[in-house]
Amino acid sequence: VDGAIPRKGGEEILRASQEIRETLYPRGLPAGEAVLTTAGKLPARYVIHTVGPVWGRDEPAEELLASCYKKSIAIAAEHALGSVAFPAIPTGA
């Protein structure tokens, strides 16, 4: 899903993601965190990006996974979004 979103959404999403990385998360978005960008060409207003834990490597994986959903929902509420769709988090490459 990570690669499909910017491929379909276009350069706007890539630029927004790069800006977040340059200003907030120079080492990349940590597991359990979430951020919001434009949706670019996707049929949505925004994309909420989150990074799920790698099972067996990121501990405590269950809490980090729960954090992905909680922080994404908090961002959606903060921006008064009426609906949210979640892909499976994390499924791996």
Side-chain angles (χ1 to χ4, degrees):
V1 174
D2 183 45
I5 291 170
R7 273 195 304 276
K8 288 296 236 179
E11 288 294 316
E12 297 94 341
I13 296 174
L14 285 173
R15 281 194 299 273
S17 296
Q18 288 169 343
E19 182 178 330
I20 289 169
R21 187 169 187 136
E22 290 170 4
T23 59
L24 299 174
Y25 296 101
R27 295 180 143 185
L29 191 63
E33 291 297 325
V35 295
L36 179 128
T37 68
T38 179
K41 297 175 186 173
L42 295 173
R45 292 186 303 180
Y46 303 102
V47 172
I48 300 171
H49 306 262
T50 190
V51 176
V54 176
W55 297 95
R57 184 181 79 189
D58 294 329
E59 297 296 332
E62 293 85 359
E63 287 84 0
L64 289 170
L65 181 58
S67 179
C68 291
Y69 287 100
K70 290 176 185 176
K71 290 187 178 186
S72 295
I73 290 168
I75 289 171
E78 180 182 326
H79 289 85
L81 304 183
S83 64
V84 179
F86 286 101
I89 304 170
T91 59

